[in-house]
């Protein structure tokens, strides 16, 4: 499988799909795994308890709605994981189940998101990039972090194919 794709995007949420689209449009053979159905706005107090039955019924309604516009979708679901405000608070430490990974306040924006020095979607691991609500211009559902991460991947790929600047300046003389 390693030779079949130039890029594998794991996580098909809005940022994963935008990343995959940009990479594919640039000519990379790209595959995406996982369909993420993000919905929002359950009662605020639901962070205190799981509300499992209500959330299962809600998820069933969402899958049924997708199945109306994409017949067969419901049959393609092989597993699902419902992440609710209670889970976000108890397992991920997101106070109140805040999905935008921190408040969008001045100290959490632009070059400070997710942390100073890491706003360019690159990680210390060569070839590993990230895009989520925790990254610039994250918070909410917009796809911009996915687009920006894909652009970073493409810039780095072009840079790796170029000879060093000093050598390039001497070529063709």
């Amino acid at each position: 499988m390693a030779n079949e794709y130039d890029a594998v995007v794991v996580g098909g949420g809005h940022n994963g799909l935008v990343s995959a689209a940009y990479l594919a449009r640039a000519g990379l053979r790209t595959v995406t795994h996982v369909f993420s159905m993000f919905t929002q706005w359950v009662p605020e107090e639901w962070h205190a308890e799981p509300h499992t039955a209500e959330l299962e019924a809600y998820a069933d309604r969402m899958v049924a709605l997708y199945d109306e516009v994409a017949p067969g979708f419901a049959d393609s679901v092989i597993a699902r994981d419902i992440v609710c405000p209670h889970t976000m608070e108890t397992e991920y430490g997101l106070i109140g189940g805040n999905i935008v990974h921190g408040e969008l306040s001045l100290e959490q924006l632009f070059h400070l998101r997710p942390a100073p020095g890491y706003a360019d979607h690159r990680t210390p691991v060569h070839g590993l990039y990230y895009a989520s609500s925790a990254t610039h211009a994250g918070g909410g559902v917009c796809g911009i972090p996915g687009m920006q991460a894909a652009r970073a991947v493409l810039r780095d790929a072009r840079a790796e194919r170029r000879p060093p600047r000093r050598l390039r300046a001497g070529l063709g003389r």
Side-chain angles (χ1 to χ4, degrees), residues 118-143:
Y118 291 95
D120 65 356
H121 303 279
R122 291 170 181 87
T123 70
V125 179
H126 178 76
L128 180 62
Y129 301 80
Y130 59 93
S132 72
S133 293
T135 62
H136 177 68
V141 180
C142 63

Side-chain angles (χ1 to χ4, degrees), residues 9-14 16-17 32-39 59 62-63 65-67 69-70 73-74 76-82:
V9 177
V10 179
H14 56 286
L17 294 175
T32 304
H33 295 279
V34 179
F35 179 84
S36 177
M37 190 182 300
F38 177 84
T39 63
M62 295 298 101
V63 169
L65 285 170
Y66 268 84
D67 205 56
V69 296
F73 173 77
S76 74
V77 176
I78 58 172
R80 73 180 187 191
D81 182 28
I82 300 170

Side-chain angles (χ1 to χ4, degrees), residues 140-155:
V141 180
C142 63
I144 294 172
M147 175 193 68
Q148 291 173 327
R151 286 180 174 172
V153 169
L154 296 172
R155 274 192 306 272

Side-chain angles (χ1 to χ4, degrees), residues 54-75:
E54 295 97 326
L55 289 166
E56 288 288 342
Y58 179 72
D60 290 341
R61 290 192 304 274
M62 295 298 101
V63 169
L65 285 170
Y66 268 84
D67 205 56
E68 287 178 18
V69 296
F73 173 77
D75 293 333

Side-chain angles (χ1 to χ4, degrees), residues 42 46-47 49-51 55 82-89 92 97:
V42 297
W46 281 24
H47 72 91
E49 295 178 29
H51 293 272
L55 289 166
I82 300 170
V83 180
C84 63
H86 182 263
T87 303
M88 288 185 272
E89 183 168 311
Y92 311 148

